[in-house]
Amino acid sequence: MAERLITVFGGSGFVGRHLVNQLADEGWRVRVAVRDPEGAKFLKPLGDLGQITPVPASLLNPESIKRACAGADVVINLVGILHESGKASFQAIHADGAALVAEAAKAAGVKTFVQMSALGASSSSPSRYARSKAEGEQRVRAAFPSATIVRPSVIFGPEDGFYNRFGAMARLLPVLVYFCKDAPGLKTSPNGGTAVDFYGAGGPKFQPVYVGDVAKAIVKALKDPAMAGKTYELGGPRTYSLREVMEQVSRETRRNRLVLPAPMWLAKIQAMFLQFLPNPPLTPDQVALLQSDNILTGACPGLKDLGIEPESVEAVIPSYIDRFRPLHRQIRRLGKKHA
């Protein structure tokens, strides 16, 4: 396998760095197709000398895609964006770009193709992000019918943009807010009376999946011909409401923040202004995504069907979210280690 070549588009990103590490351990020669090859050089020490090679490529540049696919046995497309910026729109990256990669891979004689989509991809979604992911899946299938498609839920791990973002919020803010559609409001009590419901159902639900498990599923697709042409939904062992996620963060950061609900209309107002920031924490399209739960539907096989026992959030996040804890506790813990 040492002589086989695999091209990974987006290999320097969050999922990419974990995947490249596993591929190097498996003996693959890895061509990492990224917009900034210099910035991807941190991946080279993950393999032997010359085993991992960053090359320039952009999903907005068809010729660069063709060059990156040339001579490869396998192509994996991980590229995705959470918000639009200039020419990098959801349509250009998730739909047109994915189609260009699949078409170039097919033309280059690539044997195996893996496309990373997202849980909740749907042509009927109110979110442009989710609709573009669904179109990308359709166009990949049309260009490369035997492609394997993976749809992960929210992905967590040391470099994630989910728990780390909320951890930073817990360090800075006295209150953690979750958005929901049913609180505060009135509810009917068992005896027929009415009472104020301050918390509701806890907001949208998620089924976070560990980044290492996503990488394992993709690597397995390279070994198991039975995965060709199929779509897999990847989620962790349990679901959490957004309120439960915030409470987890409050506990693990030792900040003991108050966790309170806010109506979805307030999220829409905030997003209208925040979307103009260089790296917006919330956009109107993300608010549209929050209208639906992000959990496994059961319509597609998942990690357990691949023989992968998913890691739990509780087992992993303490290893990296502790950096948001109060400094004096960090110092005290370090002192105990060296005592």
Side-chain angles (χ1 to χ4, degrees):
M1 186 178 286
E3 294 304 313
R4 298 190 68 194
L5 174 64
I6 187 166
T7 296
V8 182
F9 285 86
S12 63
F14 172 40
V15 176
R17 65 187 67 192
H18 289 266
L19 177 60
V20 168
N21 190 22
Q22 290 194 29
L23 291 171
D25 288 343
E26 294 276 338
W28 288 88
R29 285 193 300 125
V30 187
R31 178 187 288 161
V32 183
V34 290
R35 287 179 301 166
D36 179 17
E38 284 296 316
K41 284 187 175 179
F42 72 93
L43 295 168
K44 293 172 74 72
L46 298 178
D48 295 330
L49 184 64
Q51 187 180 8
I52 299 170
T53 307
V55 299
S58 167
L59 265 60
L60 301 175
N61 185 331
E63 291 304 315
S64 71
I65 294 173
K66 293 175 183 177
R67 289 193 296 270
C69 290
D73 297 286
V74 174
V75 169
I76 299 171
N77 181 30
L78 303 176
V79 181
I81 56 175
L82 294 177
H83 59 87
E84 298 173 304
S85 178
K87 293 182 180 180
S89 66
F90 292 140
Q91 179 68 31
I93 301 301
H94 298 157
D96 301 340
L100 287 171
V101 175
E103 291 163 0
K106 194 67 174 178
V110 168
K111 301 177 180 64
T112 304
F113 186 88
V114 181
Q115 169 73 19
M116 188 171 79
S117 182
L119 196 61
S122 170
S123 59
S124 61
S125 173
S127 160
R128 296 195 316 279
Y129 170 90
R131 292 198 303 271
S132 67
K133 284 288 190 178
E135 183 180 341
E137 290 184 9
Q138 294 168 0
R139 294 176 66 178
V140 164
R141 280 267 185 261
F144 207 116
S146 63
T148 301
I149 295 173
V150 295
R151 295 174 176 170
S153 181
V154 173
I155 304 174
F156 69 92
E159 308 89 4
D160 71 42
F162 191 65
Y163 282 100
N164 278 304
R165 172 168 289 184
F166 294 145
M169 289 169 57
R171 183 167 58 188
L172 296 173
L173 304 175
V175 175
L176 292 176
V177 173
Y178 63 93
F179 296 111
C180 60
K181 295 183 286 187
D182 58 352
L186 297 176
K187 70 174 182 179
T188 303
S189 61
N191 61 11
T194 57
V196 177
D197 182 4
F198 288 103
Y199 297 100
K205 292 181 171 56
F206 302 89
Q207 199 161 348
V209 59
Y210 177 51
V211 63
D213 293 335
V214 175
K216 284 180 183 177
I218 294 173
V219 170
K220 191 170 180 65
L222 314 183
K223 303 176 181 179
D224 187 355
M227 291 181 66
K230 294 182 180 179
T231 299
Y232 290 81
E233 292 185 343
L234 309 182
R238 60 163 291 196
T239 64
Y240 304 85
S241 67
L242 189 52
R243 176 188 177 186
E244 290 173 320
V245 169
M246 294 297 191
E247 290 172 343
Q248 271 185 321
V249 169
S250 179
R251 288 193 303 271
E252 291 298 338
T253 59
R254 305 293 192 267
R255 297 285 176 173
N256 300 316
R257 299 308 191 201
L258 196 60
V259 177
L260 295 175
M264 201 63 75
W265 59 261
L266 180 58
K268 293 178 181 179
I269 293 174
Q270 290 184 349
M272 288 296 294
F273 296 96
L274 294 174
Q275 67 178 319
F276 298 110
L277 295 176
N279 186 23
L282 190 66
T283 68
D285 196 73
Q286 289 168 357
V287 175
L289 272 177
L290 290 174
Q291 304 293 325
S292 303
D293 293 336
N294 193 253
I295 60 178
L296 302 183
T297 67
C300 300
L303 290 173
K304 291 192 176 180
D305 297 284
L306 299 175
I308 299 172
E309 191 64 33
E311 289 280 1
S312 70
V313 169
E314 290 80 6
V316 177
I317 64 168
S319 67
Y320 65 92
I321 206 172
D322 62 349
R323 67 194 182 95
F324 298 108
R325 293 174 181 174
L327 183 60
H328 71 278
R329 297 188 186 186
Q330 294 278 24
I331 294 173
R332 186 166 58 201
R333 190 181 66 174
L334 287 172
K336 289 180 180 178
K337 281 186 178 180
H338 296 290

